[in-house]
Amino acid sequence: EKPTFITLSETRIADNQINLDYIFKGYKCMQNSSSGTNAKGVCVFYSKSVEILPESVFNDDRGYFTLAVYKIDTNYHVLNVGVYGPPDNSDNFAYSIYESLIAKFLEIKLLFQCTQYIFSGDFNLHFDALNKKPKTCHLMRNFFEDHHIFDFDINDKLYTWHRNGRNRKRSRIDYIFSNIDKLSFYNTWLMADHAQLCATFQIGRK
């Protein structure tokens, strides 16, 4: 079964007006956060089985986050957030980016009366260790707790990024968070240095 949403992080799409509808057959894309340069970026593709509310779409022009509301089975509105967190080690800068994300989330959530949310992407945050960007990690942890949004891999905490070579490194910086009931979650490795995260949800009234 094909996924309803596909999130791609670090897209590096310089043209923020590009039409991405041709990338995946049967999918469209209105969520494309691009910095306008060959760096950063995140986009979310959606299948024809759901309806996007165009007036809800917000694409950060720095390439760090994108938000939109989707109508599922005509009854439920889901606020979908794609994330590419700042990769550098500046805690203060990352904090300011995630503060902006939270503010926009609260604005759209209220405007469209959303009660179900999905966050996915490369956050570039170590929520497990809290050894890098601790102020930003605490900000997002508290935000997720306040809105009853849960880490879908909280039990296994499998690493999602690796670097081979002499200084081999592994870490978990890619996540799926949601307040929607989880049916399944797993990650797979293809040719990239990041894992592919996959989840199924039980959409229902909250």
Side-chain angles (χ1 to χ4, degrees):
E1 185 177 353
K2 291 185 177 181
T4 303
F5 301 110
I6 301 173
T7 301
L8 300 181
S9 293
E10 198 173 1
T11 51
R12 302 186 182 186
I13 299 173
D15 182 1
N16 53 21
Q17 300 299 320
I18 191 171
N19 181 1
L20 298 176
D21 290 350
Y22 65 90
I23 299 295
F24 297 110
K25 185 177 180 180
Y27 290 85
K28 292 187 175 183
C29 179
M30 292 184 68
Q31 289 187 255
N32 177 28
S33 170
S34 167
S35 64
T37 64
N38 188 24
K40 301 174 282 192
V42 56
C43 60
V44 178
F45 296 84
Y46 65 96
S47 76
K48 296 178 180 179
S49 64
V50 297
E51 177 187 349
I52 193 170
L53 304 184
E55 64 274 21
S56 72
V57 177
F58 176 83
N59 293 314
D60 173 55
D61 60 10
R62 297 161 295 181
Y64 292 120
F65 57 88
T66 175
L67 304 90
V69 177
Y70 295 84
K71 188 181 292 186
I72 310 289
D73 294 333
T74 72
N75 294 318
Y76 306 112
H77 286 182
V78 175
L79 177 47
N80 197 336
V81 184
V83 178
Y84 178 67
D88 56 69
N89 291 324
S90 172
D91 201 0
N92 288 334
F93 180 69
Y95 190 95
S96 68
I97 294 299
Y98 280 103
E99 267 195 326
S100 300
L101 185 157
I102 290 172
K104 184 55 65 173
F105 169 86
L106 295 175
E107 175 187 329
I108 295 176
K109 170 182 177 290
L110 179 62
L111 185 61
F112 292 91
Q113 295 296 296
C114 297
T115 58
Q116 298 180 317
Y117 333 113
I118 300 171
F119 288 74
S120 61
D122 178 358
F123 286 68
N124 276 308
L125 294 175
H126 296 82
F127 287 113
D128 301 327
L130 298 178
N131 58 345
K132 295 182 179 179
K133 307 176 195 172
K135 184 171 69 170
T136 307
C137 287
H138 283 297
L139 170 72
M140 292 306 295
R141 268 190 167 185
N142 292 337
F143 164 74
F144 287 140
E145 288 177 3
D146 289 344
H147 291 84
H148 307 289
I149 298 170
F150 303 101
D151 179 355
F152 268 27
D153 194 29
I154 191 62
N155 294 321
D156 295 329
K157 299 181 179 178
L158 301 173
Y159 72 92
T160 65
W161 171 86
H162 70 88
R163 175 182 293 163
N164 293 325
R166 180 177 299 177
N167 298 319
R168 185 168 183 172
K169 296 181 179 180
R170 293 179 176 181
S171 61
R172 190 168 80 105
I173 55 177
D174 307 270
Y175 306 86
I176 296 177
F177 293 94
S178 183
N179 69 334
I180 306 173
D181 292 339
K182 177 182 68 173
L183 295 180
S184 68
F185 174 87
Y186 62 94
N187 68 17
T188 59
W189 288 91
L190 301 175
M191 299 298 293
D193 57 353
H194 287 258
Q196 174 181 286
L197 308 187
C198 305
T200 55
F201 304 85
Q202 177 62 57
I203 303 294
R205 190 173 300 281
K206 289 284 185 180

